[in-house]
Amino acid sequence: MDVMGDKATLFETGRFVQPAGTEPARDEMADMGEAAEETRLALAAQSGDVEAASVLGAMLLRRGDLDQAEPHLRAATAAGDRAAANNLGVLLHQRGYPEEAAGWWRIAAVAGSAAAAHALGRHHRERGDEPAAEYWLRQSAEQGHVLGAYALADLLEHRGDVGAEHWMRAAAERGHREAAYRLARALDRTAGPQEESGADNAVAEAEQWYRQAAARGHRRAALHLGAILEKRGELKEAGRWYLTSAKDGEPRAACALGFLLRDAGDTESAAVWWLRAAQEGDGNAANALGALHAERGETQTAERWYRAALNAGDDNGAYNLGLLCAEQGRTAQAEQWYRRAAYAGHREAANALAILLLQGGDTTGAEPWFSKAAEAGSVDAAFNLGILYAGRGEEEMALRWYERAASAGHAEAALQVGIARLREGQEQEAERHLRCAAGGGSAEGAYRLATLLDARRPPEPAHELGETVQEKTECEEWYERAASQGHRRAQVRVGMLAAARGDVVEAARWYRAAAEAGSRNGAFNLGLLLAREGSEPEAAVWWTRAADAGHGRAALRLALVYARRGELAEGQRWADRAVALGPAEVAERAGRLRDALREELSA
């Protein structure tokens, strides 16, 4: 017998090797252990052990065996066991006898059962008796019952009671994941858009509670934690939490994970998660899928997903359908979709609808939609209103909308405000707006800022061609920025500044860029540069291009070239052209040359 006992001990510790095929599975072992425990408790209960009857009743209740559990619980309750009274209440509640259940919960709660007090409090709240509910939930919470603390916090929050946070925090600190999540959400709302240290502290604390709830499997907490980390640039960890939440069935997390993957260049994986989210009713993901298929030219599939987004309640679906139809030239359908989204409050759809109406000549119909979009915060709509009023000659109203768009960072609007301030002689204010325009990527803004700074520059000493000077002023840097964006006048000016520094190669490069883009001044200056370098035939080619575009000095240069070559008739033709083109000084010189050539030809 001792040996068998030793064998049993070894078997339970897993250190005794059983013959092949005789070792029970772990689940079977657990079932065997539970069955043995149940037998032991049943025997003890039959012999009058109240605690055994209570524990056995609870075990059977958890298993769902209400018929077997009830007599044991009633016996233990009759003997004064408060846990049995609470569990009897649970059993009766499950059977559909809430009032009888409440009676037993009351008995257990009065006897000091925090769990019963919690159950009784919830019972009263379900029946609308909030004072009684609060009383019993508070009893439960004050005894340290985590569910009681959470239920009390929920009740107080519903009533707008400031004490809700205390109990929500108490429940969260005891590991209640929903309490941790809701506490984090409350802290998020407290932080809001404020830029104060207190707000930063609230955000940090919110993150802590999101992290606690997410670690306990709360999928929405994992979603919000991922969003915080993504905003902070910690993309790898953000992706892990999005993935955790998405796998738990949160479509918004699947959608966010898709965007994260797309930004990382993994479009195929992004599409997989967007599809999963869209199939679960996420409109944002459906829109993302639509945009992906639209980029691939799969317009029918794109339209299907945009419609799915719209059906999911996402107004971006209607807006995107409008964009799709507009790209295909289906103007009537585009207007229909834009209008649907605009009536739903989509500001960019309102702006797009206004543009569509304006293109169709309906200025009266466009204006209110521009206004609606602008008032809703559309920067483009504010700028477009400025253009609309400027076209009518209502400069004051135009400037007002340009200023509004410029204050939100619209580069072209800032340019218009800068130009207006220059006209008014407000140079400092003009410079401020032109800097905003130039910094925002406006080539014209960069050029005008450069000309403003250029006008303030003291004259620099001249340099011989070929004598390179490295220093560049701020105005030249802005000219170069505009020139690099294809601004022809800026390209010519950069070429002139390079020539003034003696940098022939740089000057020629910019003149050629401007000339090839259609700048007659660029072509003329390139010709001058080439002529000075001894390449007069090539210079004549560029002067011809400039003269054909209406450049009088280029025509005069050509007249002189042909006169020196002895091609008097061609020289006279270009002299006539220079007289016609001007300006006055050129016309006068060209006229004298023309007369001289005529005399030579008639001699």
Side-chain angles (χ1 to χ4, degrees):
M1 293 297 293
D2 291 339
V3 174
M4 288 302 293
D6 289 342
K7 284 185 178 179
T9 304
L10 289 169
F11 174 70
E12 287 169 6
T13 61
R15 301 204 309 248
F16 185 77
V17 180
Q18 292 287 312
T22 63
E23 184 178 354
R26 286 184 180 271
D27 288 346
E28 291 175 358
M29 289 170 60
D31 291 342
M32 288 165 58
E34 187 174 334
E37 177 65 10
E38 185 178 336
T39 301
R40 186 189 68 79
L41 290 171
L43 291 171
Q46 286 174 7
S47 64
D49 188 328
V50 175
E51 184 179 352
S54 178
V55 173
L56 179 58
M59 181 187 291
L60 293 167
L61 177 62
R62 280 196 301 272
R63 203 163 65 202
D65 193 346
L66 305 189
D67 291 336
Q68 291 293 323
E70 185 172 351
H72 294 295
L73 291 175
R74 286 192 180 275
T77 299
D81 188 293
R82 69 183 187 188
N86 174 57
N87 287 331
L88 181 57
V90 173
L91 185 147
L92 291 167
H93 188 270
Q94 289 183 16
R95 285 192 183 279
Y97 302 112
E99 297 305 326
E100 189 179 351
W104 290 113
W105 282 331
R106 182 181 296 276
I107 290 170
V110 170
S113 170
H118 164 247
L120 187 57
R122 290 192 58 181
H123 169 80
H124 284 297
R125 188 176 181 189
E126 287 169 3
R127 275 145 187 75
D129 189 351
E130 290 194 0
E134 181 181 350
Y135 173 81
W136 288 111
L137 291 175
R138 194 176 292 277
Q139 293 293 317
S140 175
E142 288 175 352
Q143 291 180 66
H145 194 274
V146 63
L147 295 178
Y150 174 71
L152 178 59
D154 185 63
L155 175 63
L156 295 174
E157 186 176 87
H158 170 71
R159 295 211 310 241
D161 192 309
V162 292
E165 184 182 343
H166 167 76
W167 291 110
M168 195 69 77
R169 189 179 295 275
E173 287 170 350
R174 292 169 192 157
H176 194 289
R177 70 179 190 181
E178 185 66 25
Y181 171 71
R182 288 179 61 174
L183 181 59
R185 295 296 295 147
L187 288 165
D188 254 354
R189 288 191 292 270
T190 301
Q194 302 170 31
E195 297 179 0
E196 301 173 2
S197 59
D200 291 338
N201 293 337
V203 170
E205 189 181 358
E207 180 183 343
Q208 170 195 334
W209 290 114
Y210 280 137
R211 195 176 290 277
Q212 179 172 311
R216 292 177 177 274
H218 196 292
R219 70 185 195 186
R220 283 174 294 164
L223 166 66
H224 287 285
L225 179 58
I228 289 172
L229 293 166
E230 182 182 3
K231 187 176 180 181
R232 206 159 62 208
E234 299 176 24
L235 303 184
K236 191 172 182 179
E237 189 180 358
R240 285 201 300 269
W241 285 112
Y242 283 149
L243 179 60
T244 298
S245 180
K247 284 182 174 178
D248 285 341
E250 178 55 58
R252 289 175 296 169
C255 180
L257 180 59
F259 282 112
L260 212 59
L261 290 165
R262 181 205 61 184
D263 294 343
D266 190 354
T267 310
E268 293 306 315
S269 295
V272 170
W273 287 105
W274 282 334
L275 178 61
R276 182 167 175 172
Q279 287 174 337
E280 293 178 18
D282 189 282
N284 196 20
N287 272 315
L289 278 174
L292 184 63
H293 287 289
E295 287 172 9
R296 295 171 177 172
E298 300 165 357
T299 54
Q300 288 186 341
T301 307
E303 184 171 340
R304 179 168 62 83
W305 282 114
Y306 288 149
R307 287 181 182 274
L310 185 59
N311 292 335
D314 192 326
D315 296 324
N316 280 312
Y319 173 59
N320 288 329
L321 281 167
L323 291 174
L324 195 65
C325 291
E327 287 171 4
Q328 295 172 339
R330 296 154 58 193
T331 308
Q333 291 93 328
E335 180 181 341
Q336 170 194 343
W337 290 117
Y338 285 150
R339 197 176 291 277
R340 178 167 176 174
Y343 275 122
H346 195 293
R347 66 190 188 188
E348 298 309 327
N351 180 56
L353 174 59
I355 292 172
L356 204 64
L357 293 170
L358 197 61
Q359 289 171 343
D362 188 0
T363 308
T364 305
E367 184 180 345
W369 285 112
F370 276 139
S371 296
K372 186 173 182 178
E375 293 295 348
S378 170
V379 180
D380 288 335
F383 176 65
N384 289 334
L385 269 177
I387 295 174
L388 195 66
Y389 283 115
R392 294 176 182 170
E394 300 178 40
E395 297 298 333
E396 187 176 340
M397 283 295 293
L399 185 58
R400 184 184 304 174
W401 285 108
Y402 284 146
E403 286 177 334
R404 184 163 177 173
S407 66
H410 197 289
E412 294 305 319
L415 169 64
Q416 295 304 320
V417 176
I419 293 171
R421 295 294 178 246
L422 277 176
R423 283 198 302 264
E424 297 165 0
Q426 300 178 30
E427 192 172 293
Q428 295 299 322
E429 189 69 8
E431 181 182 341
R432 183 173 71 84
H433 281 96
L434 290 175
R435 284 188 182 278
C436 290
S442 169
E444 184 66 23
Y447 173 73
R448 287 182 179 264
L449 175 60
T451 58
L452 183 65
L453 297 172
D454 204 1
R456 298 176 187 166
R457 267 197 327 163
E460 294 183 359
H463 301 281
E464 294 294 329
L465 284 174
E467 180 189 349
T468 305
V469 178
Q470 297 298 330
E471 295 81 6
K472 292 182 181 180
T473 62
E474 185 190 5
C475 78
E476 187 168 358
E477 289 174 357
W478 285 113
Y479 277 134
E480 285 188 0
R481 180 178 292 195
S484 65
Q485 292 176 257
H487 195 287
R488 293 184 301 180
R489 285 176 295 167
Q491 289 170 338
V492 172
R493 186 61 182 143
V494 171
M496 292 171 66
L497 290 169
R501 289 198 313 271
D503 192 342
V504 181
V505 175
E506 184 76 355
R509 181 170 77 86
W510 286 112
Y511 286 151
R512 190 178 298 276
E516 288 175 348
S519 168
R520 61 189 187 185
N521 286 330
F524 175 69
N525 288 354
L526 180 58
L528 289 179
L529 205 62
L530 291 167
R532 288 173 189 169
E533 293 294 302
S535 301
E536 189 174 86
E538 188 180 354
V541 172
W542 290 106
W543 282 334
T544 301
R545 182 180 289 195
D548 286 340
H551 199 289
R553 285 187 174 84
L556 176 57
R557 288 278 178 173
L558 285 169
L560 290 169
V561 166
Y562 285 112
R564 284 197 297 271
R565 291 178 183 173
E567 299 178 30
L568 304 184
E570 190 67 7
Q572 183 180 345
R573 185 175 75 82
W574 282 112
D576 284 338
R577 178 77 170 147
V579 170
L581 292 174
E585 176 193 348
V586 170
E588 183 183 347
R589 290 178 60 195
R592 291 199 300 269
L593 177 60
R594 180 186 58 187
D595 293 342
L597 291 173
R598 277 179 183 168
E599 288 179 11
E600 188 70 24
L601 284 167
S602 60

PDB file of all heavy atoms in Angstrom, residues 295-307:
ATOM      1  N   GLU A 295      -6.755  53.801 -57.789  1.00  0.00           N
ATOM      2  CA  GLU A 295      -5.372  54.050 -58.211  1.00  0.00           C
ATOM      3  C   GLU A 295      -4.915  53.018 -59.237  1.00  0.00           C
ATOM      4  O   GLU A 295      -4.099  53.316 -60.110  1.00  0.00           O
ATOM      5  CB  GLU A 295      -4.437  54.003 -56.999  1.00  0.00           C
ATOM      6  CG  GLU A 295      -4.553  55.213 -56.083  1.00  0.00           C
ATOM      7  CD  GLU A 295      -3.762  55.031 -54.791  1.00  0.00           C
ATOM      8  OE1 GLU A 295      -3.002  54.038 -54.708  1.00  0.00           O
ATOM      9  OE2 GLU A 295      -3.910  55.868 -53.885  1.00  0.00           O
ATOM     10  N   ARG A 296      -5.439  51.813 -59.125  1.00  0.00           N
ATOM     11  CA  ARG A 296      -5.065  50.744 -60.060  1.00  0.00           C
ATOM     12  C   ARG A 296      -5.880  50.788 -61.337  1.00  0.00           C
ATOM     13  O   ARG A 296      -5.698  49.958 -62.230  1.00  0.00           O
ATOM     14  CB  ARG A 296      -5.260  49.383 -59.387  1.00  0.00           C
ATOM     15  CG  ARG A 296      -4.336  49.139 -58.198  1.00  0.00           C
ATOM     16  CD  ARG A 296      -4.730  47.877 -57.458  1.00  0.00           C
ATOM     17  NE  ARG A 296      -3.831  47.555 -56.362  1.00  0.00           N
ATOM     18  CZ  ARG A 296      -4.033  46.589 -55.472  1.00  0.00           C
ATOM     19  NH1 ARG A 296      -5.129  45.840 -55.561  1.00  0.00           N
ATOM     20  NH2 ARG A 296      -3.172  46.379 -54.504  1.00  0.00           N
ATOM     21  N   GLY A 297      -6.811  51.742 -61.412  1.00  0.00           N
ATOM     22  CA  GLY A 297      -7.659  51.843 -62.593  1.00  0.00           C
ATOM     23  C   GLY A 297      -8.844  50.906 -62.584  1.00  0.00           C
ATOM     24  O   GLY A 297      -9.546  50.781 -63.594  1.00  0.00           O
ATOM     25  N   GLU A 298      -9.082  50.245 -61.455  1.00  0.00           N
ATOM     26  CA  GLU A 298     -10.209  49.299 -61.341  1.00  0.00           C
ATOM     27  C   GLU A 298     -11.427  50.071 -60.818  1.00  0.00           C
ATOM     28  O   GLU A 298     -11.822  49.951 -59.655  1.00  0.00           O
ATOM     29  CB  GLU A 298      -9.819  48.157 -60.400  1.00  0.00           C
ATOM     30  CG  GLU A 298      -8.603  47.377 -60.883  1.00  0.00           C
ATOM     31  CD  GLU A 298      -7.993  46.493 -59.804  1.00  0.00           C
ATOM     32  OE1 GLU A 298      -8.489  46.528 -58.659  1.00  0.00           O
ATOM     33  OE2 GLU A 298      -7.017  45.773 -60.098  1.00  0.00           O
ATOM     34  N   THR A 299     -12.015  50.876 -61.689  1.00  0.00           N
ATOM     35  CA  THR A 299     -13.035  51.835 -61.265  1.00  0.00           C
ATOM     36  C   THR A 299     -14.321  51.169 -60.777  1.00  0.00           C
ATOM     37  O   THR A 299     -14.965  51.669 -59.854  1.00  0.00           O
ATOM     38  CB  THR A 299     -13.354  52.805 -62.414  1.00  0.00           C
ATOM     39  OG1 THR A 299     -13.710  52.053 -63.585  1.00  0.00           O
ATOM     40  CG2 THR A 299     -12.166  53.681 -62.735  1.00  0.00           C
ATOM     41  N   GLN A 300     -14.686  50.059 -61.388  1.00  0.00           N
ATOM     42  CA  GLN A 300     -15.923  49.393 -60.958  1.00  0.00           C
ATOM     43  C   GLN A 300     -15.793  48.845 -59.536  1.00  0.00           C
ATOM     44  O   GLN A 300     -16.709  48.985 -58.716  1.00  0.00           O
ATOM     45  CB  GLN A 300     -16.272  48.254 -61.929  1.00  0.00           C
ATOM     46  CG  GLN A 300     -16.778  48.744 -63.276  1.00  0.00           C
ATOM     47  CD  GLN A 300     -17.251  47.603 -64.156  1.00  0.00           C
ATOM     48  OE1 GLN A 300     -16.894  46.442 -63.936  1.00  0.00           O
ATOM     49  NE2 GLN A 300     -18.046  47.909 -65.160  1.00  0.00           N
ATOM     50  N   THR A 301     -14.654  48.232 -59.253  1.00  0.00           N
ATOM     51  CA  THR A 301     -14.418  47.722 -57.891  1.00  0.00           C
ATOM     52  C   THR A 301     -14.338  48.877 -56.908  1.00  0.00           C
ATOM     53  O   THR A 301     -14.860  48.794 -55.787  1.00  0.00           O
ATOM     54  CB  THR A 301     -13.115  46.906 -57.844  1.00  0.00           C
ATOM     55  OG1 THR A 301     -13.160  45.911 -58.858  1.00  0.00           O
ATOM     56  CG2 THR A 301     -12.934  46.247 -56.489  1.00  0.00           C
ATOM     57  N   ALA A 302     -13.669  49.962 -57.337  1.00  0.00           N
ATOM     58  CA  ALA A 302     -13.564  51.144 -56.477  1.00  0.00           C
ATOM     59  C   ALA A 302     -14.949  51.688 -56.140  1.00  0.00           C
ATOM     60  O   ALA A 302     -15.250  51.994 -54.975  1.00  0.00           O
ATOM     61  CB  ALA A 302     -12.738  52.220 -57.164  1.00  0.00           C
ATOM     62  N   GLU A 303     -15.805  51.762 -57.151  1.00  0.00           N
ATOM     63  CA  GLU A 303     -17.164  52.272 -56.925  1.00  0.00           C
ATOM     64  C   GLU A 303     -17.938  51.376 -55.964  1.00  0.00           C
ATOM     65  O   GLU A 303     -18.680  51.859 -55.094  1.00  0.00           O
ATOM     66  CB  GLU A 303     -17.899  52.383 -58.266  1.00  0.00           C
ATOM     67  CG  GLU A 303     -19.293  52.989 -58.133  1.00  0.00           C
ATOM     68  CD  GLU A 303     -19.926  53.299 -59.475  1.00  0.00           C
ATOM     69  OE1 GLU A 303     -19.202  53.404 -60.485  1.00  0.00           O
ATOM     70  OE2 GLU A 303     -21.173  53.458 -59.493  1.00  0.00           O
ATOM     71  N   ARG A 304     -17.728  50.069 -56.088  1.00  0.00           N
ATOM     72  CA  ARG A 304     -18.427  49.135 -55.199  1.00  0.00           C
ATOM     73  C   ARG A 304     -18.037  49.369 -53.741  1.00  0.00           C
ATOM     74  O   ARG A 304     -18.890  49.388 -52.855  1.00  0.00           O
ATOM     75  CB  ARG A 304     -18.105  47.692 -55.618  1.00  0.00           C
ATOM     76  CG  ARG A 304     -18.772  46.646 -54.746  1.00  0.00           C
ATOM     77  CD  ARG A 304     -18.667  45.276 -55.387  1.00  0.00           C
ATOM     78  NE  ARG A 304     -17.311  44.824 -55.548  1.00  0.00           N
ATOM     79  CZ  ARG A 304     -16.601  44.230 -54.576  1.00  0.00           C
ATOM     80  NH1 ARG A 304     -17.155  44.028 -53.398  1.00  0.00           N
ATOM     81  NH2 ARG A 304     -15.366  43.826 -54.798  1.00  0.00           N
ATOM     82  N   TRP A 305     -16.753  49.602 -53.512  1.00  0.00           N
ATOM     83  CA  TRP A 305     -16.308  49.823 -52.133  1.00  0.00           C
ATOM     84  C   TRP A 305     -16.736  51.193 -51.604  1.00  0.00           C
ATOM     85  O   TRP A 305     -17.048  51.338 -50.415  1.00  0.00           O
ATOM     86  CB  TRP A 305     -14.794  49.648 -52.025  1.00  0.00           C
ATOM     87  CG  TRP A 305     -14.409  48.202 -51.992  1.00  0.00           C
ATOM     88  CD1 TRP A 305     -13.707  47.511 -52.928  1.00  0.00           C
ATOM     89  CD2 TRP A 305     -14.740  47.255 -50.971  1.00  0.00           C
ATOM     90  NE1 TRP A 305     -13.573  46.189 -52.571  1.00  0.00           N
ATOM     91  CE2 TRP A 305     -14.199  46.006 -51.371  1.00  0.00           C
ATOM     92  CE3 TRP A 305     -15.451  47.332 -49.772  1.00  0.00           C
ATOM     93  CZ2 TRP A 305     -14.336  44.857 -50.596  1.00  0.00           C
ATOM     94  CZ3 TRP A 305     -15.590  46.184 -49.006  1.00  0.00           C
ATOM     95  CH2 TRP A 305     -15.039  44.967 -49.414  1.00  0.00           C
ATOM     96  N   TYR A 306     -16.745  52.193 -52.482  1.00  0.00           N
ATOM     97  CA  TYR A 306     -17.225  53.516 -52.052  1.00  0.00           C
ATOM     98  C   TYR A 306     -18.701  53.430 -51.646  1.00  0.00           C
ATOM     99  O   TYR A 306     -19.123  54.049 -50.663  1.00  0.00           O
ATOM    100  CB  TYR A 306     -17.049  54.545 -53.165  1.00  0.00           C
ATOM    101  CG  TYR A 306     -15.615  54.960 -53.420  1.00  0.00           C
ATOM    102  CD1 TYR A 306     -15.200  55.339 -54.699  1.00  0.00           C
ATOM    103  CD2 TYR A 306     -14.681  54.991 -52.389  1.00  0.00           C
ATOM    104  CE1 TYR A 306     -13.891  55.729 -54.940  1.00  0.00           C
ATOM    105  CE2 TYR A 306     -13.370  55.387 -52.628  1.00  0.00           C
ATOM    106  CZ  TYR A 306     -12.976  55.747 -53.915  1.00  0.00           C
ATOM    107  OH  TYR A 306     -11.690  56.150 -54.155  1.00  0.00           O
ATOM    108  N   ARG A 307     -19.467  52.655 -52.410  1.00  0.00           N
ATOM    109  CA  ARG A 307     -20.878  52.473 -52.050  1.00  0.00           C
ATOM    110  C   ARG A 307     -21.003  51.718 -50.725  1.00  0.00           C
ATOM    111  O   ARG A 307     -21.887  52.008 -49.912  1.00  0.00           O
ATOM    112  CB  ARG A 307     -21.617  51.712 -53.163  1.00  0.00           C
ATOM    113  CG  ARG A 307     -21.863  52.551 -54.412  1.00  0.00           C
ATOM    114  CD  ARG A 307     -22.606  51.765 -55.464  1.00  0.00           C
ATOM    115  NE  ARG A 307     -22.815  52.528 -56.679  1.00  0.00           N
ATOM    116  CZ  ARG A 307     -23.836  53.350 -56.892  1.00  0.00           C
ATOM    117  NH1 ARG A 307     -24.763  53.490 -55.952  1.00  0.00           N
ATOM    118  NH2 ARG A 307     -23.962  54.014 -58.014  1.00  0.00           N
TER     119      ARG A 307
END
